[in-house]
Amino acid sequence: MQPKPNIVNLPVYQPGKPVDDVKRELGLTEVIKLASNENPFGSSPKVKEAIAHEIENNISIYPDGAAVELTNALAKHHGVNTDQIIFGVGSDEVILMIARAFLVPGDETIMADQTFPIYKHNAKVENATIIEVPLKDGTHDLPAMLERVTDKTKIVWVCNPNNPTGTINSADEVESFLSKVPSHVLVVLDEAYCEYVVDPSFPDGIKLLKQYPNVILLRTFSKIYGLASLRVGYGIGRSEVIRSINQVREPFNTSRIGQAAALAALQDEEFIAFCREENSKGLAYLNASFKELGLTAFPAHGNFIMVDVKRSGQEVFDALLRKGIIIRAGHSLYPTYVRITVGNQEQNEKVIAALTAVLQEIAVKV
């Protein structure tokens, strides 16, 4: 049996290396994973209570396919209508559904050349023509992306903050871009890390959504809410856009436990504020430490930072792995960079100590 020709050479997404695998392979007792932008502070205590209740009472019952209670809470939280929200198994699945709903062979879709790879993956599955526009100083070059829009363009993807570089486009930049994008083009603003941003220039996605009918926002409970294992993401858009995406959504695509946990997480604003503040402190510490090491990093606005280690990023990754630190490397356009998730203070100090030792060891070899 032969698969679709356009997926034959499609790479499989590689997640961050699992902690247990590293312990087993390298004989380590302690491993710190700072590779997948997970929340080092876990989730709200309210989440654990909600999960326990579902396990005790409802584990054998199908979830609400329409996620009515969570939809109502999110609509109130964001000031939108309930028919403007769609859920997915993480925002990854919402990306998949958007591509499935709107892209056909021959359509063009525009994205940055170093951004979240799932946009490109799903566009290839749908056999769309992919237009990649180089980042400018690690940031989406929105004017250059606008220049590539044609009558065949169906979707433009903008990851803000951008993964993996952590940079943001300002409100002025995004609004200027949206004001010039033709109405037939869907603009996906992926704001998976927006709750971490403290920069006042960052755009208000909900406000933009109300002004531009061709915008859809992507959000997730995997990052600051700490529910990565439960896979709950969502999109917010105009009702007619959401309806089209809903037509390709699988039934019961989010679990009963995931919905209950997300609802509880949404209600604990104090926990979110704590995580945001601690993340800002962590970024400040890492930036100061990199400066002392003579390293430069992209301006970071999510819960991760991408730093130029000035030698092979893969070599640094391998050396850190042997010391029990898992980070990310292998960014094709930034071969001397590594991406490090912001941990708690103890984890941040350990990664800096390990990185310092690794850089010294590599320098001695040279």
Side-chain angles (χ1 to χ4, degrees):
M1 295 180 67
Q2 296 298 316
K4 293 160 60 173
N6 52 300
I7 72 162
V8 170
N9 298 312
L10 200 61
V12 177
Y13 180 77
Q14 297 298 320
K17 203 166 178 63
V19 169
D20 289 341
D21 284 1
V22 175
K23 286 182 178 179
R24 183 171 54 253
E25 291 171 9
L26 299 178
L28 299 170
T29 57
E30 181 187 16
V31 171
I32 297 173
K33 183 186 177 188
L34 297 174
S36 299
N37 304 339
E38 295 150 330
N39 189 337
F41 305 105
S43 59
S44 163
K46 295 181 179 180
V47 166
K48 299 176 180 65
E49 296 173 7
I51 291 174
H53 179 269
E54 290 301 316
I55 291 174
E56 180 68 25
N57 297 286
N58 298 315
I59 197 72
S60 63
I61 302 173
Y62 277 111
D64 174 6
V68 171
E69 190 175 4
L70 180 57
T71 299
N72 288 337
L74 264 180
K76 183 178 179 180
H77 180 75
H78 290 301
V80 298
N81 297 327
T82 55
D83 61 0
Q84 292 183 257
I85 296 173
I86 186 167
F87 289 98
V89 182
S91 54
D92 308 41
E93 192 194 21
V94 184
I95 293 167
L96 179 152
M97 291 188 290
I98 290 171
R100 180 180 291 178
F102 291 103
L103 293 176
V104 298
D107 282 344
E108 294 179 354
T109 182
I110 300 172
M111 63 197 70
D113 63 348
Q114 189 75 75
T115 191
F116 190 42
I118 301 303
Y119 313 142
K120 185 175 182 179
H121 179 95
N122 283 291
K124 281 190 172 183
V125 170
E126 302 304 329
N127 212 9
T129 300
I130 297 164
I131 310 296
E132 295 181 280
V133 178
L135 295 174
K136 185 176 182 181
D137 299 325
T139 304
H140 281 70
D141 189 346
L142 296 181
M145 295 176 80
L146 186 65
E147 289 178 1
R148 302 301 301 273
V149 173
T150 71
D151 290 342
K152 294 182 179 180
T153 305
K154 187 68 72 70
I155 303 174
V156 179
W157 309 86
V158 179
C159 189
N160 199 31
N162 185 44
N163 182 8
T165 58
T167 57
I168 62 170
N169 289 98
S170 70
D172 288 344
E173 291 170 338
V174 173
E175 189 150 10
S176 175
F177 171 74
L178 291 175
S179 68
K180 300 179 181 69
V181 173
S183 60
H184 73 272
V185 177
L186 181 66
V187 178
V188 180
L189 295 181
D190 187 345
E191 299 181 334
Y193 301 93
C194 67
E195 292 92 354
Y196 283 109
V197 181
V198 296
D199 190 316
S201 74
F202 189 70
D204 181 340
I206 300 296
K207 180 180 177 181
L208 293 174
L209 175 65
K210 293 176 180 178
Q211 188 173 352
Y212 299 99
N214 57 330
V215 167
I216 182 168
L217 307 177
L218 300 184
R219 302 282 180 91
T220 182
F221 283 93
S222 294
K223 303 306 178 184
I224 202 167
Y225 290 99
L227 305 185
S229 67
L230 297 179
R231 314 302 300 126
V232 182
Y234 61 101
I236 313 175
R238 291 295 179 96
S239 59
E240 57 270 25
V241 173
I242 296 302
R243 182 181 182 279
S244 296
I245 301 170
N246 241 323
Q247 289 176 305
V248 301
R249 181 178 65 83
E250 299 295 334
F252 310 117
N253 64 326
T254 56
S255 70
R256 175 176 286 277
I257 291 175
Q259 290 178 29
L263 182 62
L266 189 67
Q267 295 167 348
D268 194 345
E269 296 182 2
E270 184 178 345
F271 176 77
I272 300 306
F274 165 78
C275 293
R276 184 185 301 112
E277 182 178 355
E278 291 300 308
N279 185 74
S280 294
K281 292 177 182 177
L283 282 174
Y285 171 79
L286 292 173
N287 273 308
S289 300
F290 294 148
K291 188 175 181 179
E292 289 180 6
L293 292 170
L295 307 179
T296 56
F298 287 120
H301 297 273
N303 68 332
F304 56 94
I305 188 165
M306 194 168 177
V307 58
D308 186 358
V309 292
K310 303 186 185 303
R311 61 268 296 156
S312 166
Q314 189 63 46
E315 183 180 7
V316 171
F317 168 87
D318 291 336
L320 284 174
L321 195 64
R322 291 191 292 271
K323 294 182 182 295
I325 306 289
I326 311 174
I327 58 166
R328 279 285 224 182
H331 305 289
S332 59
L333 301 180
Y334 297 98
T336 64
Y337 281 74
V338 297
R339 192 194 71 186
I340 303 173
T341 301
V342 180
N344 59 38
Q345 187 58 26
E346 180 183 1
Q347 292 171 329
N348 294 335
E349 290 175 1
K350 286 184 176 180
V351 75
I352 290 299
L355 178 61
T356 301
V358 163
L359 295 178
Q360 290 172 345
E361 291 165 6
I362 294 174
V364 169
K365 291 180 182 178
V366 175

